[in-house]
mmCIF file of all heavy atoms in Angstrom:
data_model
loop_
_atom_site.group_PDB
_atom_site.id
_atom_site.type_symbol
_atom_site.label_atom_id
_atom_site.label_comp_id
_atom_site.label_asym_id
_atom_site.label_seq_id
_atom_site.Cartn_x
_atom_site.Cartn_y
_atom_site.Cartn_z
ATOM 1 N N ALA A 67 -19.466 -4.301 12.516
ATOM 2 C CA ALA A 67 -20.530 -3.925 13.446
ATOM 3 C C ALA A 67 -21.659 -3.179 12.742
ATOM 4 O O ALA A 67 -22.843 -3.463 12.955
ATOM 5 C CB ALA A 67 -19.952 -3.066 14.571
ATOM 6 N N TRP A 68 -21.306 -2.228 11.877
ATOM 7 C CA TRP A 68 -22.316 -1.392 11.239
ATOM 8 C C TRP A 68 -23.181 -2.158 10.241
ATOM 9 O O TRP A 68 -24.358 -1.856 10.071
ATOM 10 C CB TRP A 68 -21.654 -0.213 10.532
ATOM 11 C CG TRP A 68 -21.085 0.788 11.470
ATOM 12 C CD1 TRP A 68 -21.486 1.062 12.749
ATOM 13 C CD2 TRP A 68 -19.993 1.670 11.223
ATOM 14 N NE1 TRP A 68 -20.710 2.046 13.302
ATOM 15 C CE2 TRP A 68 -19.787 2.445 12.385
ATOM 16 C CE3 TRP A 68 -19.162 1.889 10.126
ATOM 17 C CZ2 TRP A 68 -18.803 3.418 12.485
ATOM 18 C CZ3 TRP A 68 -18.176 2.858 10.229
ATOM 19 C CH2 TRP A 68 -18.000 3.613 11.387
ATOM 20 N N PHE A 69 -22.606 -3.141 9.574
ATOM 21 C CA PHE A 69 -23.346 -3.856 8.531
ATOM 22 C C PHE A 69 -23.712 -5.277 8.951
ATOM 23 O O PHE A 69 -24.044 -6.114 8.109
ATOM 24 C CB PHE A 69 -22.535 -3.859 7.230
ATOM 25 C CG PHE A 69 -22.392 -2.489 6.632
ATOM 26 C CD1 PHE A 69 -21.265 -1.720 6.878
ATOM 27 C CD2 PHE A 69 -23.403 -1.944 5.859
ATOM 28 C CE1 PHE A 69 -21.141 -0.433 6.351
ATOM 29 C CE2 PHE A 69 -23.295 -0.667 5.325
ATOM 30 C CZ PHE A 69 -22.155 0.092 5.571
ATOM 31 N N ASP A 70 -23.703 -5.517 10.249
ATOM 32 C CA ASP A 70 -23.970 -6.849 10.783
ATOM 33 C C ASP A 70 -25.309 -7.418 10.329
ATOM 34 O O ASP A 70 -25.446 -8.628 10.139
ATOM 35 C CB ASP A 70 -23.913 -6.808 12.315
ATOM 36 C CG ASP A 70 -24.230 -8.156 12.933
ATOM 37 O OD1 ASP A 70 -23.441 -9.097 12.727
ATOM 38 O OD2 ASP A 70 -25.282 -8.272 13.599
ATOM 39 N N ASP A 71 -26.310 -6.562 10.143
ATOM 40 C CA ASP A 71 -27.641 -7.062 9.795
ATOM 41 C C ASP A 71 -27.767 -7.479 8.329
ATOM 42 O O ASP A 71 -28.779 -8.064 7.944
ATOM 43 C CB ASP A 71 -28.718 -6.033 10.136
ATOM 44 C CG ASP A 71 -28.544 -4.724 9.375
ATOM 45 O OD1 ASP A 71 -27.453 -4.492 8.819
ATOM 46 O OD2 ASP A 71 -29.502 -3.937 9.336
ATOM 47 N N GLU A 72 -26.746 -7.189 7.500
ATOM 48 C CA GLU A 72 -26.844 -7.569 6.089
ATOM 49 C C GLU A 72 -25.683 -8.399 5.569
ATOM 50 O O GLU A 72 -25.675 -8.788 4.405
ATOM 51 C CB GLU A 72 -27.017 -6.330 5.208
ATOM 52 C CG GLU A 72 -25.904 -5.301 5.298
ATOM 53 C CD GLU A 72 -26.222 -4.052 4.485
ATOM 54 O OE1 GLU A 72 -25.958 -4.074 3.263
ATOM 55 O OE2 GLU A 72 -26.724 -3.085 5.077
ATOM 56 N N ILE A 73 -24.700 -8.684 6.426
ATOM 57 C CA ILE A 73 -23.570 -9.493 5.973
ATOM 58 C C ILE A 73 -23.324 -10.679 6.901
ATOM 59 O O ILE A 73 -23.646 -10.630 8.091
ATOM 60 C CB ILE A 73 -22.263 -8.670 5.870
ATOM 61 C CG1 ILE A 73 -21.853 -8.109 7.244
ATOM 62 C CG2 ILE A 73 -22.394 -7.562 4.842
ATOM 63 C CD1 ILE A 73 -20.485 -7.446 7.258
ATOM 64 N N GLU A 74 -22.777 -11.728 6.326
ATOM 65 C CA GLU A 74 -22.215 -12.832 7.090
ATOM 66 C C GLU A 74 -20.716 -12.825 6.804
ATOM 67 O O GLU A 74 -20.293 -13.051 5.667
ATOM 68 C CB GLU A 74 -22.825 -14.163 6.659
ATOM 69 C CG GLU A 74 -22.196 -15.361 7.353
ATOM 70 C CD GLU A 74 -22.640 -16.687 6.760
ATOM 71 O OE1 GLU A 74 -23.552 -16.702 5.915
ATOM 72 O OE2 GLU A 74 -22.034 -17.711 7.134
ATOM 73 N N VAL A 75 -19.923 -12.526 7.804
ATOM 74 C CA VAL A 75 -18.472 -12.436 7.628
ATOM 75 C C VAL A 75 -17.882 -13.836 7.686
ATOM 76 O O VAL A 75 -17.920 -14.500 8.724
ATOM 77 C CB VAL A 75 -17.839 -11.531 8.700
ATOM 78 C CG1 VAL A 75 -16.315 -11.481 8.531
ATOM 79 C CG2 VAL A 75 -18.429 -10.125 8.636
ATOM 80 N N VAL A 76 -17.338 -14.289 6.558
ATOM 81 C CA VAL A 76 -16.734 -15.626 6.525
ATOM 82 C C VAL A 76 -15.342 -15.612 7.136
ATOM 83 O O VAL A 76 -14.812 -16.660 7.516
ATOM 84 C CB VAL A 76 -16.677 -16.177 5.088
ATOM 85 C CG1 VAL A 76 -18.062 -16.275 4.491
ATOM 86 C CG2 VAL A 76 -15.758 -15.331 4.197
ATOM 87 N N GLY A 77 -14.742 -14.443 7.207
ATOM 88 C CA GLY A 77 -13.425 -14.315 7.791
ATOM 89 C C GLY A 77 -12.817 -12.971 7.464
ATOM 90 O O GLY A 77 -13.439 -12.130 6.818
ATOM 91 N N CYS A 78 -11.598 -12.771 7.932
ATOM 92 C CA CYS A 78 -10.874 -11.537 7.646
ATOM 93 C C CYS A 78 -9.467 -11.908 7.195
ATOM 94 O O CYS A 78 -8.959 -12.987 7.500
ATOM 95 C CB CYS A 78 -10.830 -10.622 8.863
ATOM 96 S SG CYS A 78 -9.987 -11.333 10.286
ATOM 97 N N SER A 79 -8.857 -11.000 6.458
ATOM 98 C CA SER A 79 -7.515 -11.278 5.960
ATOM 99 C C SER A 79 -6.619 -10.072 6.171
ATOM 100 O O SER A 79 -7.074 -8.923 6.162
ATOM 101 C CB SER A 79 -7.554 -11.642 4.465
ATOM 102 O OG SER A 79 -7.818 -10.508 3.680
ATOM 103 N N ALA A 80 -5.361 -10.360 6.368
ATOM 104 C CA ALA A 80 -4.335 -9.324 6.483
ATOM 105 C C ALA A 80 -2.988 -10.003 6.358
ATOM 106 O O ALA A 80 -2.836 -11.167 6.736
ATOM 107 C CB ALA A 80 -4.436 -8.586 7.819
ATOM 108 N N ASP A 81 -2.006 -9.286 5.822
ATOM 109 C CA ASP A 81 -0.662 -9.847 5.731
ATOM 110 C C ASP A 81 -0.016 -9.962 7.112
ATOM 111 O O ASP A 81 0.701 -10.907 7.404
ATOM 112 C CB ASP A 81 0.219 -9.004 4.807
ATOM 113 C CG ASP A 81 -0.044 -9.325 3.344
ATOM 114 O OD1 ASP A 81 -0.526 -10.433 3.055
ATOM 115 O OD2 ASP A 81 0.225 -8.464 2.497
ATOM 116 N N GLN A 82 -0.269 -8.955 7.950
ATOM 117 C CA GLN A 82 0.279 -8.975 9.302
ATOM 118 C C GLN A 82 -0.839 -8.593 10.268
ATOM 119 O O GLN A 82 -0.948 -7.466 10.731
ATOM 120 C CB GLN A 82 1.449 -7.998 9.432
ATOM 121 C CG GLN A 82 2.633 -8.377 8.558
ATOM 122 C CD GLN A 82 3.776 -7.395 8.680
ATOM 123 O OE1 GLN A 82 3.584 -6.229 8.987
ATOM 124 N NE2 GLN A 82 4.986 -7.866 8.434
ATOM 125 N N ALA A 83 -1.680 -9.562 10.563
ATOM 126 C CA ALA A 83 -2.827 -9.302 11.425
ATOM 127 C C ALA A 83 -2.372 -9.003 12.854
ATOM 128 O O ALA A 83 -1.457 -9.621 13.374
ATOM 129 C CB ALA A 83 -3.765 -10.501 11.429
ATOM 130 N N ASP A 84 -3.038 -8.029 13.477
ATOM 131 C CA ASP A 84 -2.879 -7.788 14.900
ATOM 132 C C ASP A 84 -3.764 -8.818 15.599
ATOM 133 O O ASP A 84 -4.986 -8.739 15.541
ATOM 134 C CB ASP A 84 -3.329 -6.359 15.225
ATOM 135 C CG ASP A 84 -3.165 -6.012 16.700
ATOM 136 O OD1 ASP A 84 -3.450 -6.874 17.548
ATOM 137 O OD2 ASP A 84 -2.779 -4.873 17.002
ATOM 138 N N ASP A 85 -3.137 -9.798 16.254
ATOM 139 C CA ASP A 85 -3.909 -10.903 16.825
ATOM 140 C C ASP A 85 -4.960 -10.432 17.819
ATOM 141 O O ASP A 85 -6.054 -10.981 17.892
ATOM 142 C CB ASP A 85 -2.971 -11.901 17.511
ATOM 143 C CG ASP A 85 -2.105 -12.661 16.519
ATOM 144 O OD1 ASP A 85 -2.506 -12.740 15.346
ATOM 145 O OD2 ASP A 85 -1.050 -13.167 16.925
ATOM 146 N N ARG A 86 -4.635 -9.383 18.576
ATOM 147 C CA ARG A 86 -5.595 -8.880 19.568
ATOM 148 C C ARG A 86 -6.827 -8.322 18.881
ATOM 149 O O ARG A 86 -7.959 -8.575 19.301
ATOM 150 C CB ARG A 86 -4.932 -7.799 20.423
ATOM 151 C CG ARG A 86 -5.852 -7.187 21.472
ATOM 152 C CD ARG A 86 -5.120 -6.113 22.254
ATOM 153 N NE ARG A 86 -4.681 -5.028 21.393
ATOM 154 C CZ ARG A 86 -5.472 -4.013 21.014
ATOM 155 N NH1 ARG A 86 -6.723 -3.957 21.396
ATOM 156 N NH2 ARG A 86 -4.991 -3.059 20.253
ATOM 157 N N LEU A 87 -6.618 -7.554 17.804
ATOM 158 C CA LEU A 87 -7.752 -6.979 17.095
ATOM 159 C C LEU A 87 -8.478 -8.022 16.261
ATOM 160 O O LEU A 87 -9.706 -8.055 16.212
ATOM 161 C CB LEU A 87 -7.283 -5.824 16.207
ATOM 162 C CG LEU A 87 -6.661 -4.626 16.928
ATOM 163 C CD1 LEU A 87 -6.258 -3.567 15.923
ATOM 164 C CD2 LEU A 87 -7.614 -4.046 17.963
ATOM 165 N N ALA A 88 -7.724 -8.896 15.607
ATOM 166 C CA ALA A 88 -8.341 -9.917 14.767
ATOM 167 C C ALA A 88 -9.232 -10.837 15.580
ATOM 168 O O ALA A 88 -10.233 -11.355 15.080
ATOM 169 C CB ALA A 88 -7.270 -10.714 14.041
ATOM 170 N N ALA A 89 -8.897 -11.031 16.847
ATOM 171 C CA ALA A 89 -9.702 -11.903 17.704
ATOM 172 C C ALA A 89 -11.109 -11.354 17.896
ATOM 173 O O ALA A 89 -12.023 -12.092 18.269
ATOM 174 C CB ALA A 89 -9.012 -12.077 19.057
ATOM 175 N N GLN A 90 -11.306 -10.062 17.658
ATOM 176 C CA GLN A 90 -12.622 -9.450 17.826
ATOM 177 C C GLN A 90 -13.470 -9.541 16.559
ATOM 178 O O GLN A 90 -14.599 -9.072 16.534
ATOM 179 C CB GLN A 90 -12.460 -7.986 18.230
ATOM 180 C CG GLN A 90 -11.685 -7.809 19.529
ATOM 181 C CD GLN A 90 -11.432 -6.348 19.832
ATOM 182 O OE1 GLN A 90 -12.281 -5.503 19.613
ATOM 183 N NE2 GLN A 90 -10.257 -6.044 20.349
ATOM 184 N N LEU A 91 -12.917 -10.130 15.495
ATOM 185 C CA LEU A 91 -13.625 -10.246 14.232
ATOM 186 C C LEU A 91 -14.142 -11.671 14.036
ATOM 187 O O LEU A 91 -13.507 -12.631 14.462
ATOM 188 C CB LEU A 91 -12.688 -9.879 13.073
ATOM 189 C CG LEU A 91 -12.332 -8.394 12.989
ATOM 190 C CD1 LEU A 91 -11.098 -8.199 12.132
ATOM 191 C CD2 LEU A 91 -13.502 -7.603 12.436
ATOM 192 N N PRO A 92 -15.295 -11.809 13.376
ATOM 193 C CA PRO A 92 -15.851 -13.148 13.166
ATOM 194 C C PRO A 92 -15.138 -13.902 12.050
ATOM 195 O O PRO A 92 -14.421 -13.322 11.238
ATOM 196 C CB PRO A 92 -17.307 -12.852 12.774
ATOM 197 C CG PRO A 92 -17.257 -11.488 12.170
ATOM 198 C CD PRO A 92 -16.161 -10.751 12.900
ATOM 199 N N GLY A 93 -15.348 -15.218 12.017
ATOM 200 C CA GLY A 93 -14.860 -16.042 10.919
ATOM 201 C C GLY A 93 -13.394 -16.408 11.038
ATOM 202 O O GLY A 93 -12.719 -16.115 12.019
ATOM 203 N N ARG A 94 -12.892 -17.045 9.988
ATOM 204 C CA ARG A 94 -11.506 -17.504 9.938
ATOM 205 C C ARG A 94 -10.539 -16.364 9.694
ATOM 206 O O ARG A 94 -10.926 -15.300 9.229
ATOM 207 C CB ARG A 94 -11.334 -18.529 8.815
ATOM 208 C CG ARG A 94 -11.926 -19.898 9.104
ATOM 209 C CD ARG A 94 -11.516 -20.866 8.030
ATOM 210 N NE ARG A 94 -10.055 -20.924 7.883
ATOM 211 C CZ ARG A 94 -9.431 -21.589 6.925
ATOM 212 N NH1 ARG A 94 -10.122 -22.250 6.013
ATOM 213 N NH2 ARG A 94 -8.100 -21.593 6.854
ATOM 214 N N ARG A 95 -9.279 -16.622 9.980
ATOM 215 C CA ARG A 95 -8.211 -15.676 9.673
ATOM 216 C C ARG A 95 -7.478 -16.163 8.425
ATOM 217 O O ARG A 95 -7.113 -17.332 8.334
ATOM 218 C CB ARG A 95 -7.219 -15.568 10.829
ATOM 219 C CG ARG A 95 -7.846 -15.285 12.168
ATOM 220 C CD ARG A 95 -8.495 -13.901 12.248
ATOM 221 N NE ARG A 95 -9.253 -13.782 13.492
ATOM 222 C CZ ARG A 95 -10.570 -13.848 13.560
ATOM 223 N NH1 ARG A 95 -11.287 -14.016 12.464
ATOM 224 N NH2 ARG A 95 -11.189 -13.748 14.715
ATOM 225 N N TYR A 96 -7.256 -15.275 7.479
ATOM 226 C CA TYR A 96 -6.549 -15.597 6.246
ATOM 227 C C TYR A 96 -5.441 -14.572 6.030
ATOM 228 O O TYR A 96 -5.502 -13.461 6.563
ATOM 229 C CB TYR A 96 -7.485 -15.521 5.034
ATOM 230 C CG TYR A 96 -8.659 -16.462 5.048
ATOM 231 C CD1 TYR A 96 -9.906 -16.031 5.496
ATOM 232 C CD2 TYR A 96 -8.550 -17.764 4.567
ATOM 233 C CE1 TYR A 96 -11.006 -16.887 5.479
ATOM 234 C CE2 TYR A 96 -9.636 -18.622 4.543
ATOM 235 C CZ TYR A 96 -10.866 -18.176 5.002
ATOM 236 O OH TYR A 96 -11.946 -19.016 4.972
ATOM 237 N N ASP A 97 -4.458 -14.932 5.193
ATOM 238 C CA ASP A 97 -3.560 -13.890 4.714
ATOM 239 C C ASP A 97 -4.134 -13.347 3.402
ATOM 240 O O ASP A 97 -5.160 -13.815 2.915
ATOM 241 C CB ASP A 97 -2.115 -14.384 4.569
ATOM 242 C CG ASP A 97 -1.956 -15.489 3.531
ATOM 243 O OD1 ASP A 97 -2.745 -15.527 2.558
ATOM 244 O OD2 ASP A 97 -1.027 -16.301 3.679
ATOM 245 N N ASN A 98 -3.483 -12.351 2.825
ATOM 246 C CA ASN A 98 -4.055 -11.685 1.658
ATOM 247 C C ASN A 98 -3.910 -12.464 0.359
ATOM 248 O O ASN A 98 -4.300 -11.986 -0.703
ATOM 249 C CB ASN A 98 -3.466 -10.281 1.508
ATOM 250 C CG ASN A 98 -4.008 -9.330 2.549
ATOM 251 O OD1 ASN A 98 -5.088 -9.534 3.101
ATOM 252 N ND2 ASN A 98 -3.262 -8.278 2.849
ATOM 253 N N SER A 99 -3.382 -13.695 0.455
ATOM 254 C CA SER A 99 -3.341 -14.562 -0.717
ATOM 255 C C SER A 99 -4.570 -15.464 -0.812
ATOM 256 O O SER A 99 -4.664 -16.305 -1.704
ATOM 257 C CB SER A 99 -2.075 -15.422 -0.709
ATOM 258 O OG SER A 99 -2.096 -16.323 0.387
ATOM 259 N N VAL A 100 -5.524 -15.279 0.093
ATOM 260 C CA VAL A 100 -6.722 -16.120 0.109
ATOM 261 C C VAL A 100 -7.485 -15.999 -1.212
ATOM 262 O O VAL A 100 -7.568 -14.922 -1.798
ATOM 263 C CB VAL A 100 -7.629 -15.754 1.300
ATOM 264 C CG1 VAL A 100 -8.093 -14.297 1.226
ATOM 265 C CG2 VAL A 100 -8.831 -16.684 1.393
ATOM 266 N N THR A 101 -8.022 -17.115 -1.675
ATOM 267 C CA THR A 101 -8.792 -17.132 -2.916
ATOM 268 C C THR A 101 -10.277 -17.273 -2.609
ATOM 269 O O THR A 101 -10.661 -17.725 -1.520
ATOM 270 C CB THR A 101 -8.368 -18.313 -3.807
ATOM 271 O OG1 THR A 101 -8.735 -19.538 -3.144
ATOM 272 C CG2 THR A 101 -6.878 -18.287 -4.075
ATOM 273 N N PRO A 102 -11.138 -16.895 -3.561
ATOM 274 C CA PRO A 102 -12.570 -17.096 -3.353
ATOM 275 C C PRO A 102 -12.931 -18.545 -3.051
ATOM 276 O O PRO A 102 -13.813 -18.809 -2.224
ATOM 277 C CB PRO A 102 -13.181 -16.618 -4.673
ATOM 278 C CG PRO A 102 -12.221 -15.566 -5.154
ATOM 279 C CD PRO A 102 -10.870 -16.115 -4.783
ATOM 280 N N ASP A 103 -12.265 -19.502 -3.699
ATOM 281 C CA ASP A 103 -12.551 -20.913 -3.433
ATOM 282 C C ASP A 103 -12.255 -21.280 -1.982
ATOM 283 O O ASP A 103 -13.014 -22.023 -1.347
ATOM 284 C CB ASP A 103 -11.725 -21.811 -4.360
ATOM 285 C CG ASP A 103 -12.246 -21.826 -5.782
ATOM 286 O OD1 ASP A 103 -13.409 -21.404 -5.993
ATOM 287 O OD2 ASP A 103 -11.502 -22.232 -6.684
ATOM 288 N N GLN A 104 -11.172 -20.759 -1.446
ATOM 289 C CA GLN A 104 -10.814 -21.056 -0.063
ATOM 290 C C GLN A 104 -11.811 -20.448 0.923
ATOM 291 O O GLN A 104 -12.137 -21.045 1.948
ATOM 292 C CB GLN A 104 -9.409 -20.533 0.243
ATOM 293 C CG GLN A 104 -8.305 -21.287 -0.465
ATOM 294 C CD GLN A 104 -6.964 -20.587 -0.367
ATOM 295 O OE1 GLN A 104 -6.877 -19.362 -0.291
ATOM 296 N NE2 GLN A 104 -5.885 -21.367 -0.381
ATOM 297 N N ALA A 105 -12.309 -19.255 0.607
ATOM 298 C CA ALA A 105 -13.208 -18.552 1.524
ATOM 299 C C ALA A 105 -14.672 -18.940 1.339
ATOM 300 O O ALA A 105 -15.499 -18.658 2.210
ATOM 301 C CB ALA A 105 -13.046 -17.041 1.345
ATOM 302 N N GLY A 106 -15.004 -19.541 0.206
ATOM 303 C CA GLY A 106 -16.384 -19.917 -0.043
ATOM 304 C C GLY A 106 -17.269 -18.776 -0.495
ATOM 305 O O GLY A 106 -18.497 -18.859 -0.453
ATOM 306 N N THR A 107 -16.666 -17.689 -0.949
ATOM 307 C CA THR A 107 -17.387 -16.546 -1.514
ATOM 308 C C THR A 107 -16.412 -15.749 -2.361
ATOM 309 O O THR A 107 -15.202 -15.819 -2.138
ATOM 310 C CB THR A 107 -17.978 -15.635 -0.422
ATOM 311 O OG1 THR A 107 -18.660 -14.519 -1.024
ATOM 312 C CG2 THR A 107 -16.891 -15.079 0.500
ATOM 313 N N ASP A 108 -16.933 -14.996 -3.333
ATOM 314 C CA ASP A 108 -16.043 -14.140 -4.127
ATOM 315 C C ASP A 108 -16.264 -12.662 -3.818
ATOM 316 O O ASP A 108 -15.790 -11.791 -4.525
ATOM 317 C CB ASP A 108 -16.215 -14.400 -5.624
ATOM 318 C CG ASP A 108 -17.586 -13.984 -6.147
ATOM 319 O OD1 ASP A 108 -18.474 -13.620 -5.330
ATOM 320 O OD2 ASP A 108 -17.785 -14.016 -7.373
ATOM 321 N N GLN A 109 -16.979 -12.375 -2.708
ATOM 322 C CA GLN A 109 -17.301 -11.003 -2.329
ATOM 323 C C GLN A 109 -16.403 -10.548 -1.177
ATOM 324 O O GLN A 109 -16.287 -11.255 -0.165
ATOM 325 C CB GLN A 109 -18.760 -10.901 -1.876
ATOM 326 C CG GLN A 109 -19.759 -11.431 -2.891
ATOM 327 C CD GLN A 109 -19.872 -10.526 -4.093
ATOM 328 O OE1 GLN A 109 -20.270 -9.368 -3.994
ATOM 329 N NE2 GLN A 109 -19.503 -11.049 -5.259
ATOM 330 N N CYS A 110 -15.765 -9.396 -1.338
ATOM 331 C CA CYS A 110 -14.929 -8.886 -0.246
ATOM 332 C C CYS A 110 -15.075 -7.377 -0.118
ATOM 333 O O CYS A 110 -15.471 -6.690 -1.061
ATOM 334 C CB CYS A 110 -13.470 -9.272 -0.446
ATOM 335 S SG CYS A 110 -12.586 -8.331 -1.700
ATOM 336 N N VAL A 111 -14.743 -6.880 1.063
ATOM 337 C CA VAL A 111 -14.686 -5.440 1.296
ATOM 338 C C VAL A 111 -13.293 -5.115 1.819
ATOM 339 O O VAL A 111 -12.757 -5.831 2.666
ATOM 340 C CB VAL A 111 -15.765 -4.969 2.287
ATOM 341 C CG1 VAL A 111 -15.588 -5.590 3.668
ATOM 342 C CG2 VAL A 111 -15.765 -3.448 2.407
ATOM 343 N N VAL A 112 -12.698 -4.062 1.273
ATOM 344 C CA VAL A 112 -11.368 -3.646 1.706
ATOM 345 C C VAL A 112 -11.543 -2.575 2.784
ATOM 346 O O VAL A 112 -11.887 -1.425 2.496
ATOM 347 C CB VAL A 112 -10.535 -3.120 0.525
ATOM 348 C CG1 VAL A 112 -9.162 -2.657 1.011
ATOM 349 C CG2 VAL A 112 -10.382 -4.204 -0.536
ATOM 350 N N ALA A 113 -11.324 -2.977 4.028
ATOM 351 C CA ALA A 113 -11.533 -2.090 5.179
ATOM 352 C C ALA A 113 -10.191 -1.739 5.802
ATOM 353 O O ALA A 113 -9.892 -2.093 6.948
ATOM 354 C CB ALA A 113 -12.462 -2.742 6.194
#
């Protein structure tokens, strides 16, 4: 929400995502084994 004007979120990742919370996030859902090739970017933020 805070950085919406400068980022495009391609997805979010978590080993055990809370489906209710993850549904409020943009993009695809990944586990933490996701690679840059799969996501289409090599930039991530650990939140």
Side-chain angles (χ1 to χ4, degrees):
W68 290 333
F69 293 96
D70 178 65
D71 61 344
E72 59 185 276
I73 62 172
E74 176 189 352
V75 178
V76 300
C78 61
S79 73
D81 280 336
Q82 296 179 333
D84 181 320
D85 291 338
R86 179 181 61 83
L87 297 180
Q90 301 175 39
L91 289 162
R94 286 189 56 187
R95 308 294 171 256
Y96 299 96
D97 63 29
N98 287 337
S99 65
V100 60
T101 66
D103 285 344
Q104 291 169 330
T107 179
D108 67 352
Q109 306 289 298
C110 75
V111 63
V112 179

